[in-house]
Amino acid sequence: MPITSVSPWWRSPRLLRGVVTALVVVLCIGTQITTSTYAQSRHDGITNKAVADAAQLSDRFFPVALVAVAVVVALVWRHKWPVWISLGISALTIALPLDAITPLFALYAVLLAVTGPWMWASVALATVAEFASVWRDGTGSRVSSWARDMFSMNDGTHFPWWLVVLETAFFLAVTIGLAMLVRSRKALRTSQVHEVRAETKLHALGAEVARQAEREQIAREVHDVLGHRLSLLSLHASGLELASQDPKLAKSAALVREGAQESMADLRSLLAVLRQPSAPDISKALPTLVDLPQLIDESLAAGSPVAAGVFLDRGAELHDQVSRSAYRITQELLTNARRHAPGAPVRLQIDAGPEKGCRSAPPTARPPRQITRSGPATASPVCMSGCSRPAGSRGCGLTTTVRSAPW
């Protein structure tokens, strides 16, 4: 798993967005208050700078300044409702003597997030608002106009219309260009992320295909070699069973034949798991602790004396992987006992449940109840939890089978 570095708190995206929004609000409030003051100076015909600086907002333009501040505060939610914020600010800028910068910030948010007719409607209305604000600004004197003071135009001269169009186009072009640049960079980052994810999936798929090819090759080799040998073993054991006149030898040959056939069935199931490890039907076909009685019967039939006490508390709810692993371990233990100590008595005791898992219970001072008698192998259900109720009865919840053979 890749290790991702944690950015320091001062580089948090939320913090950066908050700082940018605060700067935008402070800038726009300053320009809006100045624009409201310029509008009053234009209305009163003030041309002297000292008089303009000493003038205060009248009762007529003070509400305009309050509306301007409210418009600026609305920019805080420009990314949540970009279209409605932009359309509202542009409409108010057309109707009232407001500054031309605020509609540009609202339009910038629209260009980042919206496409289609609503984007073009926001651009069109913002263009009209920008043109109206610049045109109003150019009708005043140098002490009440941003544009006249910037271009050092004398009072009383006509402000050219083409300069209004040029200034409007310049501000709109800068806003649209920056928005498209940021939008393209975001699209590039998104495409890079998708490309990395696609490459990761492609590599994972390639690795899975390679593993599947290896599993198929191993499965073919195992099937060709072991399947052939087990078929020959079953065939020879069948011939020996039919040709033998000795009942014990015929019985042993039958056991060999049945063992070879069961081994072939196990081999087929294991090969199916090897080829398709995630198939649910194949996984369910694998033996679990519930199949332990059959395994113990096989050991008894092979002549190994076994005394088994198996505690299964809600065995169907036990995890499949735990149950299958416990079965295979038990199978290996019984096989090793028959191989290295043939004829020696074997004691098997297992305690399993969904809460406690599976464990091999250690010997206790009070041995569990067992059935040991001479003669053929027997099976009897016994509750080995120490209670007086029969195994499997209501309230016991334990199913225990004790099997024994002559010792």
Side-chain angles (χ1 to χ4, degrees):
M1 184 177 62
I3 300 175
T4 57
S5 59
V6 180
S7 301
W9 63 270
W10 61 83
R11 297 185 62 181
S12 172
R14 179 176 297 181
L15 178 62
L16 293 177
R17 286 195 298 267
V19 171
V20 171
T21 300
L23 293 177
V24 168
V25 169
V26 170
L27 174 63
C28 290
I29 287 178
T31 56
Q32 290 287 10
I33 293 176
T34 304
T35 301
S36 300
T37 305
Y38 283 175
Q40 179 175 322
S41 299
R42 288 196 301 270
H43 180 268
D44 297 338
I46 299 175
T47 58
N48 187 278
K49 183 174 179 54
V51 176
D53 292 339
Q56 296 181 353
L57 288 176
S58 62
D59 294 339
R60 180 175 181 178
F61 286 93
F62 185 75
V64 176
L66 292 180
V67 173
V69 173
V71 165
V72 173
V73 173
L75 289 176
V76 176
W77 298 278
R78 66 190 185 279
H79 294 295
K80 189 174 183 180
W81 302 296
V83 174
W84 303 115
I85 296 294
S86 177
L87 293 178
I89 292 177
S90 298
L92 290 174
T93 304
I94 295 173
L96 300 174
L98 302 181
D99 184 68
I101 296 181
T102 306
L104 296 179
F105 284 111
L107 178 63
Y108 179 82
V110 173
L111 295 174
L112 289 181
V114 182
T115 58
W118 286 109
M119 184 190 73
W120 295 112
S122 300
V123 171
L125 197 59
T127 302
V128 176
E130 191 74 14
F131 182 85
S133 181
V134 174
W135 177 78
R136 281 193 301 260
D137 183 71
T139 59
S141 59
R142 291 187 62 176
V143 298
S144 61
S145 173
W146 296 95
R148 283 184 176 274
D149 187 48
M150 182 184 301
F151 294 106
S152 300
M153 297 182 64
N154 297 324
D155 297 342
T157 59
H158 179 69
F159 195 82
W161 63 268
W162 58 267
L163 193 56
V164 177
V165 174
L166 182 62
E167 189 174 350
T168 301
F170 173 77
F171 286 123
L172 285 173
V174 171
T175 302
I176 295 174
L178 289 176
M180 291 298 103
L181 177 62
V182 174
R183 189 167 181 168
S184 63
R185 289 176 62 87
K186 288 183 178 181
L188 178 61
R189 286 196 296 268
T190 303
S191 64
Q192 289 176 347
V193 171
H194 290 167
E195 183 180 359
V196 170
R197 290 178 180 175
E199 290 180 356
T200 303
K201 291 182 180 179
L202 183 61
H203 288 314
L205 182 61
E208 179 63 26
V209 170
R211 287 194 296 268
Q212 183 65 30
E214 293 177 357
R215 288 194 293 264
E216 289 288 344
Q217 184 179 1
I218 295 173
R220 285 194 299 268
E221 293 294 332
V222 172
H223 179 270
D224 294 340
V225 176
L226 294 182
H228 175 70
R229 294 186 181 277
L230 289 175
S231 299
L232 290 178
L233 180 62
S234 177
L235 181 63
H236 289 303
S238 299
L240 181 61
E241 180 184 5
L242 295 176
S244 177
Q245 300 296 328
D246 189 357
K248 293 184 178 180
L249 182 60
K251 182 178 179 181
S252 299
L255 291 176
V256 172
R257 175 180 54 80
E258 293 175 358
Q261 293 176 353
E262 293 175 356
S263 298
M264 291 180 63
D266 293 339
L267 179 63
R268 283 192 293 268
S269 63
L270 291 176
L271 291 179
V273 173
L274 185 61
R275 289 191 173 101
Q276 298 178 351
S278 60
D281 296 336
I282 296 176
S283 299
K284 291 180 180 179
L286 296 177
T288 60
L289 282 178
V290 181
D291 302 315
L292 273 182
Q294 182 179 0
L295 180 62
I296 297 174
D297 288 339
E298 293 176 0
S299 296
L300 294 175
S304 297
V306 179
V310 180
F311 296 76
L312 290 182
D313 185 5
R314 303 193 306 274
E317 301 178 10
L318 191 64
H319 195 277
D320 292 339
Q321 187 175 1
V322 175
S323 185
R324 288 195 295 266
S325 300
Y327 179 88
R328 292 302 183 189
I329 293 173
T330 305
Q331 185 181 35
E332 183 68 17
L333 291 175
L334 293 177
T335 302
N336 291 336
R338 290 196 303 269
R339 180 186 304 169
H340 300 292
V346 177
R347 178 180 178 183
L348 176 66
Q349 189 170 353
I350 297 176
D351 188 4
E355 289 83 8
K356 57 189 174 183
C358 180
R359 62 186 179 90
S360 178
T364 57
R366 181 183 178 184
R369 295 171 57 190
Q370 299 177 356
I371 299 176
T372 306
R373 57 170 68 111
S374 60
T378 60
S380 176
V382 178
C383 179
M384 302 182 68
S385 61
C387 67
S388 59
R389 292 184 292 270
S393 63
R394 183 178 181 88
C396 180
L398 297 175
T399 300
T400 306
T401 301
V402 177
R403 300 175 182 272
S404 62
W407 289 44

